[in-house]
Amino acid sequence: MMAVNVRNLSKIYRIYKSPTQRLKEILLRRPFHTPFIALKDISFSVSKGETFGIIGENGAGKSTLLKILARTLKPTSGTIEIKGRTAALLELGAGFNPELTGEENIYLNAYLLGLSKDEIDRKKDQVVEFSELGEFIKRPVKTYSSGMYVRLAFSIATCVDPDILIIDEALSVGDEYFQKKCIDKMMDFRDRGKTIIFCSHSMYHVQELCSRTMWIDKGEIKVMGETGNIINKYINYEREKTSAIKKRPAGIIESQQDQDIKAIKITDVKILNSNGLETEVFKSLEPMEICFKINCYKDGLKGHIGFAIVRNDEEMCFGTMTNFDRIGPISFRDGQEFRIRIKSIPLLSGLYALTIAVADEFALHPYDIRRVGNFAVESGGKELGMTYMEHEWII
């Protein structure tokens, strides 16, 4: 059953050099504008219960598409069928009246979502509790920080229990604790068969959340299909386009939070050679063992561990997590030790760094991510590139 069905959707904006050009167009009845095609002939469908990803560069038309799906913007042409109540988290503060209090904006937004006053009265306390805004719920939202905006917007959008939830990069704002809370809520939505349309620049989150993904480029669908394949194509495109700038992939980033407030902290990291000794120099194809412990300050936490090896020019060599190998979730405990054995380092000569990650049960929210060690690899051969490949010559 289809929850969203879009056919031949286009959106064209009229760009005027000045307000007088708009007036002249009205009076003289001839064009004084430059057309800008934000979306061109977009067609796709989303099944009920599906989590559908949308990716693309800034200015590709993603936000315009989501506004049309949320019915806050009219298309120039095309048709849209949406079955069920829709809630959306678009740009920061969209749908809020800054002069009204948080509580008054709950009623305003819920009315726009189609709820009656009795329904809002029943759900208001749930919205306030989830947002954790406390006494600020009685204050005008113009006094809110960006994080408080997101707390209120996400709480309203999810607590009214929509059939379709549209999210446009909203989780990039706000503190780490509430981001985790939002992810848990989204996973609960997905498990209950709700439809989610998720737009983000974080390829890691799109990969883990979405089963299908659509890549939009310059207002058109470039490609659409299984998320892993689409993300690989997009990342390769970005790498080719910005080949002079080396990036680490989304999800493997240094934590910006104070380490003292984390529920889990990574400790006692060691990089061992084949003799079980700590070292900073390895031979190419030599075994390696990574050992580390965690301090766990909260009971009942479950999740996944991962590691990544990055060259000194920030080029990713390899990264993985236990969930990729269908292991876990792991029940964490204080003082727990983990070991990762690499049978053979296929790297050629160079300087490398090790990153360790501990994440939640969905492998979406990082409890701790640390760049923890540097090491060198020495190769006796004259091979070129990053890795050694076993080979033979047939002449």
Side-chain angles (χ1 to χ4, degrees):
M1 180 179 176
M2 293 299 171
V4 177
N5 191 21
V6 176
R7 288 291 171 265
N8 307 116
L9 186 72
S10 294
K11 178 63 180 179
I12 302 174
Y13 291 101
R14 294 181 175 185
I15 308 299
Y16 297 90
K17 292 182 179 180
S18 67
T20 57
Q21 299 293 316
R22 187 190 298 269
L23 180 60
K24 287 170 68 175
E25 183 171 282
I26 295 172
L27 296 176
L28 301 178
R29 295 187 179 181
R30 57 190 181 90
F32 285 87
H33 67 269
T34 302
F36 172 73
I37 302 175
L39 295 173
K40 182 179 179 182
D41 201 29
I42 298 287
S43 295
F44 69 96
S45 58
V46 182
S47 300
K48 182 180 178 182
E50 183 179 11
T51 303
F52 185 78
I54 300 176
I55 61 174
E57 297 179 311
N58 289 332
K62 307 185 301 298
S63 295
T64 298
L65 174 59
L66 295 184
K67 288 176 185 177
I68 293 174
L69 293 177
R71 298 189 179 98
T72 62
L73 186 67
K74 287 186 177 182
T76 304
S77 61
T79 60
I80 305 171
E81 292 181 66
I82 297 178
K83 298 181 180 178
R85 177 184 291 161
T86 302
L89 279 83
L90 303 177
E91 68 264 21
L92 198 60
F96 284 165
N97 186 326
E99 301 299 327
L100 300 180
T101 66
E103 186 175 47
E104 290 168 335
N105 271 287
I106 292 174
Y107 279 89
L108 174 63
N109 275 258
Y111 275 133
L112 295 175
L113 291 172
L115 271 68
S116 65
K117 186 177 184 303
D118 289 340
E119 288 177 307
I120 302 171
D121 289 338
R122 290 195 300 270
K123 292 179 180 290
K124 184 187 71 174
D125 291 342
Q126 183 184 350
V127 174
V128 175
E129 181 183 357
F130 189 88
S131 69
E132 299 184 16
L133 288 174
E135 63 182 23
F136 285 95
I137 201 69
K138 300 289 187 180
R139 298 182 184 180
V141 298
K142 67 182 180 182
T143 65
Y144 285 12
S145 67
S146 58
M148 294 165 72
Y149 263 111
V150 169
R151 281 175 176 259
L152 183 59
F154 191 91
S155 302
I156 295 171
T158 55
C159 290
V160 299
D161 200 30
D163 302 300
I164 302 167
L165 180 63
I166 300 171
I167 301 176
D168 183 12
E169 205 61 69
L171 300 185
S172 61
V173 181
D175 58 82
E176 184 180 353
Y177 162 74
F178 196 74
Q179 286 181 17
K180 163 64 175 165
K181 195 172 181 179
C182 292
I183 288 169
D184 289 344
K185 190 74 170 180
M186 288 169 61
M187 299 304 285
D188 175 63
F189 258 59
R190 190 178 72 173
D191 293 343
R192 290 196 288 126
K194 302 286 187 177
T195 305
I196 301 174
I197 298 176
F198 182 66
C199 177
S200 178
H201 288 291
S202 169
M203 296 302 103
Y204 182 74
H205 284 91
V206 174
Q207 174 75 65
E208 292 301 297
L209 282 168
C210 305
S211 55
R212 276 196 313 136
T213 294
M214 177 172 67
W215 172 9
I216 295 180
D217 184 52
K218 297 176 183 176
E220 299 183 79
I221 297 175
K222 194 174 184 74
V223 66
M224 178 167 51
E226 191 272 326
T227 294
N229 292 333
I230 303 304
I231 286 179
N232 284 337
K233 291 178 181 179
Y234 181 72
I235 290 175
N236 287 335
Y237 167 82
E238 289 293 303
R239 283 174 178 165
E240 290 174 4
K241 187 177 178 181
T242 59
S243 58
I245 303 173
K246 304 299 182 181
K247 297 180 180 179
R248 270 175 283 161
I252 308 298
I253 56 174
E254 296 297 331
S255 171
Q256 299 296 315
Q257 296 294 317
D258 182 351
Q259 297 298 321
D260 292 334
I261 65 172
K262 289 191 171 295
I264 292 177
K265 283 201 275 186
I266 297 166
T267 65
D268 301 328
V269 181
K270 297 178 182 178
I271 305 176
L272 309 178
N273 62 15
S274 56
N275 297 319
L277 302 175
E278 282 193 76
T279 183
E280 294 180 353
V281 180
F282 290 84
K283 298 291 185 184
S284 188
L285 303 181
E286 182 182 358
M288 172 189 284
E289 185 165 286
I290 302 166
C291 307
F292 68 96
K293 295 181 180 179
I294 61 169
N295 290 337
C296 188
Y297 302 107
K298 186 177 179 181
D299 294 333
L301 291 180
K302 294 184 177 182
H304 295 275
I305 60 170
F307 77 98
I309 293 176
V310 181
R311 201 165 60 183
N312 65 334
D313 62 353
E314 298 302 323
E315 185 71 50
M316 166 67 85
C317 302
F318 180 77
T320 190
M321 296 195 74
T322 48
N323 65 307
F324 295 166
D325 294 323
R326 303 184 185 277
I327 297 172
I330 301 162
S331 295
F332 293 130
R333 63 179 188 278
D334 193 38
Q336 193 171 15
E337 182 179 79
F338 301 93
R339 290 176 178 261
I340 304 162
R341 291 194 178 103
I342 301 172
K343 293 181 180 179
S344 176
I345 306 171
L347 301 173
L348 298 182
S349 295
L351 299 175
Y352 301 89
L354 173 69
T355 297
I356 299 291
V358 180
D360 69 350
E361 64 270 30
F362 307 117
L364 291 172
H365 171 77
Y367 290 121
D368 198 6
I369 302 177
R370 291 199 186 184
R371 177 71 69 85
V372 290
N374 298 309
F375 63 93
V377 175
E378 297 178 346
S379 174
K382 295 183 179 181
E383 299 89 357
L384 303 174
M386 184 185 296
T387 65
Y388 177 84
M389 294 187 179
E390 291 189 10
H391 60 280
E392 62 175 316
W393 301 98
I394 301 171
I395 300 173

